Amino acid sequence: MVELKKLENGTTLIFEDVPSSETISIGVYVKTGTANEGDYPEGIAHFIEHMLFKGSKHYTRQQLSTEFDKIGGYNNAYTTKMYTCYFCKTLKRFEKKATDLLLDMVKRPLFLEEEIVREKKVILEEIKMIDDTPEEWLMDKLENEIYKDQPLGRMILGSPQSVNEIDRATLVDFHEKYYQSNRLIVSVAGAYSESLKEEIIEQLTDEQSISIDEEQPNMHFVEKKETYYKNELEQTHFMRSYAAPSYNDEHYYATNILNTILGETMSSKLFQVLREEHGLCYNVYSDFQSFHNDGLLTIYVATDKENVDASSALITEVLKTLLNDGITQEELDDAKSHIITSFLMASESNQNKMTRNARSIMFHNELISNEKFEKAINQIQLKDIKEATKILLEAPYSEFILTEK
């Protein structure tokens, strides 16, 4: 059973009871990500994520680490284009301690000067780590160029220059503006107590609710073909990205299935043609991600630089064959089965329940149950896949290559 509650200040609370579980997962989701940064230095949303672990009103940096470790909890955080998440998974007996730690760090961070100086060095090292990971570097570059000078084009980590621009006053200002109560979703899944619900409501009942006028703009997809060079690469990394549906678009579920058929499994078209039939690569896949009004379907291949042109031609051929010849009912049923099975298996995890519920409210403004998701997938027919393929092939696309000098 899932209970949804909205406080007067706008905070959304979601509780999914799993009585037989020995664990509880608690997530605090802030409807603020890199795309919300506006005129702030690029990467500030991610910098805030780091800083919230560096001391709060009731816990020092060391105490936060020690207390999370003491309860054996798995805690972490991450920043996306659309939101930031702080979460903890622990035994149900530690539910109140885990909640207290999370809410204190999210609501009442200190932003100590010495911690800011130290964490800048950490984030600069994180940027270097991405620079040393060709696949991640190219994906960041691709999104940055496709949405050039637009909110979705901002780099999550920022650049060395933008990170060095961030100071305490900027962090405090961003937190006060974008961590308002009406931007918070607290999602709980597992064997929680009634007293925990009461405590969460008590801690989050405040008057922090400044309205921010944020109309989600339609992004302009920039068509480009770029080649970048780095030394000492063993493979060439190739990406082609198409403009794709948003998560509330009528073609969202059909494109989800199309992505599975195209490049998400070992039986997918791209895997079978590029790797199994032609032996051009070891790693090939497609990925579909959606935003408020936009989406991207990206195809990735890691191969020898001499195989890039052949790989690109085969990708085009696979897509055109999908459009002209379509797929069989058996292929559609297999793809549906894969998606539904993966979704339902993931739903057995409290952490995945917590995430699914929060994302459902953020993106769809309703709770998407297992039954509703399965029904939405099963309603897709062959003609819907053909239409989604047609839309994809008519959409603008960009190609990016990272290769050795």
Side-chain angles (χ1 to χ4, degrees), residues 131-167:
D131 287 345
D132 286 340
T133 312
E135 184 178 342
E136 291 191 40
W137 183 91
L138 190 58
M139 178 58 77
D140 279 354
K141 192 68 176 175
L142 177 146
E143 292 182 3
N144 180 249
E145 292 294 326
I146 282 177
Y147 295 119
K148 191 73 173 177
D149 299 323
Q150 301 174 80
L152 288 177
R154 293 173 75 93
M155 307 285 268
I156 289 176
L157 300 186
S159 65
Q161 179 181 353
S162 67
V163 169
N164 281 317
E165 290 174 5
I166 297 172
D167 57 21

Side-chain angles (χ1 to χ4, degrees), residues 211-382:
S211 178
I212 300 175
D213 184 18
E214 283 188 299
E215 183 178 342
Q216 297 295 336
N218 286 312
M219 297 290 101
H220 172 64
F221 186 104
V222 178
E223 295 183 72
K224 296 188 78 170
K225 291 190 177 183
E226 295 285 350
T227 300
Y228 305 96
Y229 299 94
K230 283 193 175 186
N231 292 321
E232 299 179 359
L233 287 177
E234 295 296 328
Q235 289 184 301
T236 291
H237 302 265
F238 170 84
M239 287 185 181
R240 180 190 292 181
S241 197
Y242 289 86
S246 70
Y247 46 68
N248 285 315
D249 189 282
E250 62 178 317
H251 301 289
Y252 171 78
Y253 286 107
T255 306
N256 202 336
I257 296 173
L258 172 62
N259 177 60
T260 299
I261 294 167
L262 190 60
E264 210 176 54
T265 65
M266 287 194 297
S267 61
S268 67
K269 302 292 186 182
L270 291 173
F271 190 94
Q272 288 298 315
V273 172
L274 271 73
R275 174 171 161 163
E276 301 296 277
E277 293 179 17
H278 292 271
L280 292 178
C281 59
Y282 176 79
N283 194 12
V284 54
Y285 64 82
S286 64
D287 176 69
F288 174 44
Q289 59 176 322
S290 290
F291 310 111
H292 285 299
N293 296 314
D294 310 84
L296 292 175
L297 192 149
T298 302
I299 297 165
Y300 168 80
V301 182
T303 186
D304 188 277
K305 59 184 176 183
E306 295 178 358
N307 296 331
V308 170
D309 288 343
S311 298
S312 179
L314 283 171
I315 289 169
T316 301
E317 183 181 317
V318 166
L319 283 166
K320 287 184 176 178
T321 301
L322 270 176
L323 178 63
N324 296 330
D325 300 342
I327 59 171
T328 65
Q329 185 62 50
E330 183 180 6
E331 288 176 316
L332 176 57
D333 291 341
D334 288 348
K336 289 180 179 180
S337 177
H338 173 81
I339 292 171
I340 291 169
T341 301
S342 298
F343 186 86
L344 295 182
M345 286 176 62
S347 295
E348 291 188 351
S349 158
N350 288 340
Q351 188 170 322
N352 284 326
K353 291 177 192 290
M354 171 199 82
T355 302
R356 178 199 63 198
N357 291 337
R359 286 170 55 90
S360 291
I361 291 298
M362 268 193 293
F363 299 153
H364 305 288
N365 203 31
E366 64 174 322
L367 290 169
I368 306 296
S369 65
N370 291 350
E371 293 75 20
K372 185 163 188 173
F373 178 82
E374 189 167 355
K375 182 180 179 181
I377 292 295
N378 279 328
Q379 283 179 338
I380 301 302
Q381 302 175 32
L382 288 171

Side-chain angles (χ1 to χ4, degrees), residues 368-402:
I368 306 296
S369 65
N370 291 350
E371 293 75 20
K372 185 163 188 173
F373 178 82
E374 189 167 355
K375 182 180 179 181
I377 292 295
N378 279 328
Q379 283 179 338
I380 301 302
Q381 302 175 32
L382 288 171
K383 62 182 179 61
D384 300 313
I385 301 300
K386 193 174 187 69
E387 179 65 17
T389 307
K390 182 175 183 291
I391 291 171
L392 191 73
L393 277 170
E394 291 176 349
Y397 73 87
S398 291
E399 288 186 344
F400 293 78
I401 297 170
L402 178 63

Side-chain angles (χ1 to χ4, degrees), residues 41-83:
E42 188 176 44
I44 191 170
H46 174 257
F47 203 123
I48 289 272
E49 175 217 312
H50 276 236
M51 288 306 303
L52 265 54
F53 288 91
K54 304 306 172 185
S56 60
K57 182 177 180 180
H58 298 109
Y59 299 98
T60 65
R61 169 178 55 82
Q62 186 60 51
Q63 285 172 332
L64 282 171
S65 299
T66 301
E67 292 298 322
F68 273 122
D69 288 345
K70 192 185 297 183
I71 63 175
Y74 170 61
N75 70 291
N76 211 332
Y78 58 90
T79 305
T80 72
K81 303 277 186 179
M82 312 304 299
Y83 67 92

